[in-house]
């Protein structure tokens, strides 16, 4: 800012052999300002003012002397006097804007720079300062126009192009923004901050490998650039390289221990790797440094792989008191997605009803950020005649469990009665499932990744119903769900837990999944599809490759194998006791699991299982992650497939049933522990449904050790499972829901 002030010395006299005493004083004042000598500049300017009390240049120089010493309030007074003495001098308005900006008077700065730009419309520095201020003031379109004018007058200014890139990003013009950042880097290739800005823009477009390269380039120029280390960590984390991300964030903090974003990101990465107690300490440090979002993250941090039932109880027990303290302290959030960015994913894996906690969490968010409950303008109006407009919203409308369970509904909804609109949270994928979903929709909308513009974009659709394909996997969808964007808002089993969000009206489930008291588990009204074995029109998976053998998959041919392919966070500590009992009973059996995407998760689970299994721990076999054909073959080649308790299979069970493989299951109190038993009810066969722990163990061991029972069970599943796949009855039930909910 000071350099800007020094660079705007206009109207200064030229030194000549015949300079007057006044000119000599002004020249001296200019030299003193440029040398950073505030006292000398003040003396020279005051002597000039003694000779000419209203000399505009002397008044301006007097103000610059005050600005040099940081007295911007006083500087503003002198700049105002200079402007009154010579209103046509753009430099005086420019300087006034700079001091106003230093003082935090953004509106005054904008007004001063607008006046300077009117007086000198082609001055790039004025337009640059004005454009950046407009962007900060929340006027990105005006900022783009202003900065584009500045670029036209100073096309070789790399920093100017970079700021134009920031403004273009804010207006959603991402391709042009990337072009601006790239050109800035070309103009000034040794400026680390330009490469960092390019990396941030590439990350925002999910071009993560390119973003990482940009951050690496920034750090090759300036290895001590804490912000670039932090941003590099964010890209590594998004790429699933979380252990490397932890190191990157730690490096940022070693350089700048007070870098609040790096504190929070480091803690988040620690949590993702399962180091939840270290994460708590990190969030506490960020909260102490003033981060309101870190207060929430500290309250909500949970273990990924719980070490014990006691650890689950400890983690859950601290949430409500921490939220009470947040409310009591009046903590406020401006942008929960940017400041907090968590959806409470791991609560659902604790085997407990989450309604009270989810209600409590949502209430605290609304207390801290009432604008979350924004209401679309069309709410309350009489709906227009015609087809019901249904929006399907998710980040995961692609080759993902959500895409697999959404695709059939989107493709097969009646277009006589319904208009189907797919609402995509970026990044938008281009795999086969994603392309099929986009092709099937009547319309597609890609949301901006900012809450208020996204709310307004959804509101502009004037939907009759908004169907969140999941709440709990993606933070952006979670925070968006707080708004009233359609008269009817609903969610289903994509993440099978209640949301606690007041504006979420309905939870769609199946009468085959829910116990009689199920409504008590939901903050939403519960709507039950009739006799739905799944809540998806599910495309039957491919047939397992018959050429694959145990030997080709690295499995022993002479041992009973119990296969549980589920994600490690689904393995509840109570499931360990069942595995111990199975291996106690079958002294030659092995339990087969698949490695996690995060190696530390596997280490944590193995440590817990080794403790639980005792002498049987050597009969755990961990396989690397498998491509789909080998995964399907694994189910066929093992002897008993195990459903974890409290949170069991949907896609996993359907994959097994499609291959004619029975799954041992034990339905528990909550929907997420009853999916597989619901599928068995739809099939009309329950020989692998246990009623207690002992029966679970008996069925599993019998499948593994009794070939006649195993083959008979496989024949039954193969003969009966067709009712679970490509089932138009499910589509009709969802259509019934939307008719009832939207028209009643």
């Amino acid at each position: 800012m000071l350099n800007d002030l020094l660079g705007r010395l206009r109207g200064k006299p030229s030194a000549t052999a015949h300079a007057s005493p006044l000119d000599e004083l002004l020249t001296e004042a200019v030299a003193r300002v440029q040398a950073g000598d505030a006292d000398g500049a003040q003396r020279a300017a005051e002597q000039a003012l003694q000779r000419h009390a209203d000399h505009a240049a002397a008044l301006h120089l007097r103000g610059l002397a005050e600005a040099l010493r940081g007295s911007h309030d006083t500087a503003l007074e002198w700049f105002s006097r200079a402007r009154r003495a010579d209103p046509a001098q753009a430099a005086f308005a420019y300087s006034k804007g700079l001091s106003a900006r230093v003082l935090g008077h953004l509106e005054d700065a904008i007004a001063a720079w607008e006046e300077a730009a009117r007086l000198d419309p082609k001055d790039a520095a004025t337009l640059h300062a004005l454009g950046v201020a407009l962007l900060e003031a929340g006027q990105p379109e005006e900022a783009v126009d202003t900065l584009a004018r500045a670029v036209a007058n100073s096309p070789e200014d790399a920093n100017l192009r970079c700021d134009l890139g920031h403004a273009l990003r804010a207006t959603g013009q991402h391709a042009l923004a990337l072009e601006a950042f790239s050109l800035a880097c070309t103009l000034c290739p040794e400026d680390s901050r330009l490469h960092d800005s390019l990396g941030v823009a590439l990350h925002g477009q999910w071009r993560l490998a390119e973003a990482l390269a940009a951050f690496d380039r920034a750090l090759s120029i300036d290895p001590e650039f804490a912000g670039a280390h932090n941003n590099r960590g964010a890209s590594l984390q998004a790429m699933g390289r979380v252990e490397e991300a932890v190191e990157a964030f730690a490096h940022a903090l070693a350089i700048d221990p007070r870098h609040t974003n790096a504190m929070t990101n480091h803690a988040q990465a620690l949590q993702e790797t399962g180091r939840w107690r270290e994460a708590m300490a990190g969030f506490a440090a960020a909260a102490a440094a003033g981060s309101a979002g870190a207060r929430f993250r500290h309250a909500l941090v949970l273990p990924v792989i719980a070490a014990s039932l006691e650890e689950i109880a400890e983690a859950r027990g601290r949430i409500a008191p921490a939220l009470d303290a947040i409310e009591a302290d009046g903590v406020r959030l401006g942008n929960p997605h940017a400041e907090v960015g968590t959806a409470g994913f791991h609560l659902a894996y604790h085997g407990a009803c989450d309604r009270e906690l989810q209600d409590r969490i949502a209430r605290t968010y609304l207390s801290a950020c009432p604008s979350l409950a924004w209401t679309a303008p069309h709410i309350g109006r009489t709906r227009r005649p015609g087809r019901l407009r249904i929006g399907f919203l998710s980040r995961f409308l692609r080759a993902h469990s959500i895409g697999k369970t959404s695709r059939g509904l989107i493709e097969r909804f009646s277009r006589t009665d319904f208009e189907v609109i797919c609402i995509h949270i970026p990044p938008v994928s281009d795999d086969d499932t994603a392309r099929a979903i986009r092709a099937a929709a009547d319309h597609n909308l890609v949301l901006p990744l900012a809450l208020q513009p996204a709310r307004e974009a959804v509101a502009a659709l004037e939907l009759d119903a908004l169907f969140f394909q999941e709440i709990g996997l993606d933070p952006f969808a979670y925070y968006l769900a707080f708004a009233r964007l359609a008269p009817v808002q609903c969610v289903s089993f994509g993440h099978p837990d209640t949301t606690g969000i007041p504006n979420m009206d309905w939870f769609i489930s199946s009468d085959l999944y829910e116990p009689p008291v199920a409504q008590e588990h939901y903050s939403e009204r519960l709507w039950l599809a009739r006799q739905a074995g799944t809540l998806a029109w599910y495309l039957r998976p491919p047939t397992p490759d018959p050429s694959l053998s145990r030997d080709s998959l690295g499995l022993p041919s002479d041992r009973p194998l119990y296969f549980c392919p589920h994600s490690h966070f689904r393995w509840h500590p109570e499931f360990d006791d069942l595995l111990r009992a199975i291996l106690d009973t079958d002294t030659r059996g092995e339990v087969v699991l698949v490695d996690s995407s995060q190696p530390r998760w596997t280490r944590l689970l193995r440590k817990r299982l080794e403790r639980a299994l005792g002498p049987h721990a050597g009969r755990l076999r961990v396989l690397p992650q498998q491509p789909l054909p080998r995964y399907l073959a694994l189910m066929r080649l093992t002897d008993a497939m195990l459903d974890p308790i409290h949170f069991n299979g949907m896609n996993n069970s359907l994959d097994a049933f499609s291959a004619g493989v029975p799954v041992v299951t034990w339905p528990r109190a909550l929907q997420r522990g009853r999916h597989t038993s619901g599928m068995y009810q739809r099939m009309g066969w329950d020989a692998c449904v246990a009623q207690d722990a002992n029966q679970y163990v008996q069925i599993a061991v019998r499948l593994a050790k009794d070939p006649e029972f195993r083959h008979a069970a496989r024949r039954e599943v193969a003969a009966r499972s067709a009712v679970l796949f490509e089932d138009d009855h499910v589509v009709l039930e969802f259509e019934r829901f939307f008719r009832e909910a939207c028209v009643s």
Side-chain angles (χ1 to χ4, degrees):
M1 190 66 72
L2 177 59
N3 289 335
D4 286 328
L5 284 168
L6 296 178
R8 305 300 296 181
L9 298 177
R10 295 188 191 160
K12 61 181 183 287
S14 59
T16 69
H18 305 290
S20 70
L22 178 61
D23 286 342
E24 291 175 355
L25 288 168
L26 293 173
T27 300
E28 172 71 11
V30 169
R32 294 295 184 181
V33 167
Q34 291 174 331
D37 179 2
D39 292 339
Q42 179 178 336
R43 283 194 301 270
E46 286 180 345
Q47 289 174 26
L49 290 170
Q50 288 172 4
R51 292 177 176 273
H52 192 320
D54 293 320
H55 194 286
L59 293 167
H60 183 224
L61 287 161
R62 181 67 181 82
L64 290 174
E66 294 297 337
L68 268 176
R69 58 171 58 100
S71 301
H72 287 280
D73 279 322
T74 306
L76 276 175
E77 296 174 9
W78 288 105
F79 294 147
S80 296
R81 287 182 61 184
R83 292 211 63 233
R84 288 194 294 273
D86 186 358
Q89 182 58 264
F92 303 162
Y94 177 86
S95 295
K96 183 178 179 180
L98 288 173
S99 282
R101 186 67 197 89
V102 170
L103 292 167
H105 304 159
L106 186 58
E107 291 184 3
D108 292 343
I110 289 172
W113 286 326
E114 285 177 337
E115 177 63 14
R118 185 187 65 78
L119 293 167
D120 190 354
K122 293 188 176 181
D123 184 73
T126 296
L127 294 169
H128 190 176
L130 175 59
V132 171
L134 288 167
L135 181 60
E136 188 175 349
Q139 302 176 54
E141 292 83 4
E142 294 85 347
V144 167
D145 291 342
T146 303
L147 291 167
R149 287 164 54 202
V151 166
N153 289 293
S154 184
E156 302 303 309
D157 187 330
N159 287 317
L160 176 51
R161 295 228 177 231
C162 184
D163 286 330
L164 174 59
H166 292 307
L168 288 164
R169 279 192 72 210
T171 60
Q173 300 179 72
H174 297 290
L176 290 174
L178 285 171
E179 182 181 323
F181 290 127
S182 297
L183 186 52
C185 292
T186 301
L187 289 168
C188 194
E190 295 306 310
D191 189 327
S192 62
R193 297 190 180 277
L194 299 180
H195 292 283
D196 181 65
S197 293
L198 173 62
V200 170
L202 288 164
H203 180 107
Q205 291 303 292
W206 221 246
R207 293 164 61 173
L208 299 176
E210 295 170 83
L212 193 61
F215 297 133
D216 285 340
R217 174 64 178 139
L219 290 167
S220 72
I221 298 166
D222 180 5
E224 299 301 299
F225 187 173
H229 282 290
N230 175 66
N231 293 334
R232 181 175 184 272
S235 287
L236 287 167
Q237 190 168 6
M239 296 168 80
R241 296 161 61 179
V242 185
E243 295 282 1
E244 293 174 76
V246 169
E247 294 179 9
F249 296 135
H251 202 146
L253 289 170
I255 297 166
D256 181 3
R258 297 188 62 78
H259 194 301
T260 307
N261 283 344
M263 286 184 199
T264 304
N265 289 338
H266 185 237
Q268 170 60 18
L270 287 170
Q271 181 183 357
E272 284 191 34
T273 62
R275 297 153 69 177
W276 77 287
R277 295 186 191 279
E278 293 174 69
M280 271 201 297
F283 288 129
S291 169
R295 284 284 301 271
F296 275 82
R297 293 308 305 257
H298 181 261
L300 300 174
V301 66
L302 293 167
V304 176
I305 308 296
S308 63
L309 291 173
E310 291 74 21
E311 188 169 84
I312 289 175
E314 176 193 351
R316 291 174 70 91
R318 55 181 293 277
I319 293 175
L323 295 175
D324 288 342
I326 286 172
E327 283 202 58
D329 291 345
V331 174
R332 293 291 177 264
L333 297 170
N335 183 344
H337 180 246
E339 296 173 62
V340 186
T342 184
F345 173 75
H346 292 289
L347 275 178
Y349 299 95
H350 293 164
C353 177
D354 293 328
R355 178 175 179 173
E356 184 176 344
L357 273 179
Q358 294 285 26
D359 284 348
R360 188 71 189 78
I361 293 166
R363 190 164 69 249
T364 306
Y365 272 123
L366 288 168
S367 172
C369 186
S371 64
L372 279 171
W374 184 83
T375 298
H378 75 287
I379 301 300
R381 298 178 192 162
T382 303
R383 73 171 299 272
R384 42 138 188 72
R387 296 185 295 170
L388 292 171
R389 291 170 63 86
I390 312 298
F392 288 75
L393 185 149
S394 180
R395 185 187 294 273
F396 306 107
L397 297 175
R398 54 178 172 83
H400 181 279
S401 60
I402 298 298
K404 290 167 69 175
T405 52
S406 301
R407 175 178 173 176
L409 295 178
I410 291 165
E411 288 178 335
R412 303 184 74 82
F413 252 48
S414 165
R415 293 315 197 263
T416 302
D417 297 331
F418 300 98
E419 184 178 357
V420 173
I421 301 167
C422 286
I423 304 168
H424 306 265
I425 299 172
V428 176
S429 299
D430 197 36
D431 55 60
D432 289 345
T433 302
R435 287 193 293 272
I437 286 172
R438 291 197 296 272
D442 295 306
H443 305 286
N444 288 280
L445 170 67
V446 179
L447 294 178
L449 273 177
L451 283 174
Q452 188 54 30
R455 293 178 191 124
E456 292 170 359
V458 176
L461 298 172
E462 296 196 8
L463 299 171
D464 294 297
L466 179 55
F467 186 10
F468 287 83
Q469 297 305 97
E470 55 79 23
I471 296 292
L473 302 184
D474 173 49
F476 193 81
Y478 174 71
Y479 297 119
L480 199 60
F482 278 81
R484 172 57 67 183
L485 302 174
V488 173
Q489 298 186 169
C490 58
V491 67
S492 190
F493 73 100
H495 185 63
D497 199 1
T498 189
T499 68
I501 297 173
N503 275 332
M504 190 59 63
D505 305 309
W506 295 93
F507 194 104
I508 303 171
S509 187
S510 167
D511 60 5
L512 300 182
Y513 291 172
E514 299 288 355
V517 296
Q519 181 60 72
E520 297 174 7
H521 304 157
Y522 297 95
S523 60
E524 306 83 7
R525 292 174 65 188
L526 183 61
W527 190 91
L528 300 179
R530 298 175 295 210
Q531 292 297 297
T534 71
L535 289 166
W537 189 93
Y538 202 88
L539 190 67
R540 190 172 197 121
T543 302
D545 183 351
S547 69
L548 292 172
S549 64
R550 282 194 178 189
D551 184 61
S552 67
L553 295 174
L555 296 172
S557 58
D558 60 344
R559 285 181 173 274
L561 298 180
Y562 300 85
F563 185 36
C564 186
H566 290 255
S567 301
H568 293 357
F569 44 75
R570 291 190 180 187
W571 293 51
H572 191 277
E574 289 180 354
F575 187 49
D576 303 357
D577 297 333
L578 297 180
L579 299 177
R580 171 70 183 254
I582 288 170
L583 296 180
D584 278 342
T585 306
D586 182 354
T587 58
R588 300 188 69 255
E590 290 188 0
V591 172
V592 179
L593 59 154
V594 178
D595 203 356
S596 169
S597 60
Q598 299 299 329
R600 186 176 172 84
W601 294 1
T602 304
R603 294 196 297 271
L604 288 170
L605 181 60
R606 283 198 79 141
K607 182 178 179 181
R608 192 186 82 198
L609 289 173
E610 286 168 0
R611 186 170 62 248
L613 299 182
H616 306 315
R619 288 191 278 148
L620 279 176
R621 183 178 293 268
V622 181
L623 299 180
Q625 291 196 335
Q626 305 289 317
L628 181 62
R630 291 170 67 89
Y631 160 69
L632 295 173
L634 267 171
M635 291 189 300
R636 180 177 58 82
L637 292 168
T638 51
D639 297 298
M641 184 158 164
L642 306 179
D643 210 13
I645 56 174
H646 296 306
F647 198 121
N648 51 77
M650 177 61 73
N651 288 276
N652 298 56
S653 293
L654 287 166
D655 288 341
F657 291 149
S658 76
V661 174
V663 180
V664 185
T665 193
W666 174 17
R668 307 307 298 272
L670 301 165
Q671 185 225 95
R672 49 191 175 272
R674 303 170 66 89
H675 293 158
T676 306
S677 66
M679 295 178 202
Y680 277 128
Q681 287 184 67
R682 181 77 172 97
M683 287 191 282
W685 187 75
D686 64 358
C688 288
V689 179
Q691 300 306 310
D692 56 33
N694 288 335
Q695 193 177 20
Y696 185 101
V697 173
Q698 291 167 8
I699 295 169
V701 172
R702 189 179 178 196
L703 276 173
K705 299 187 71 173
D706 182 344
E708 185 176 342
F709 175 66
R710 180 168 66 252
H711 295 321
R714 291 189 172 202
R715 285 194 299 272
E716 290 288 348
V717 169
R720 296 169 179 269
S721 62
V723 296
L724 301 175
F725 301 100
E726 300 164 26
D727 182 8
D728 286 333
H729 168 71
V730 175
V731 180
L732 293 174
E733 284 296 279
F734 271 94
E735 290 179 350
R736 179 170 71 88
F737 164 76
F738 284 112
R739 289 190 188 95
E740 292 177 0
C742 294
V743 177
S744 62

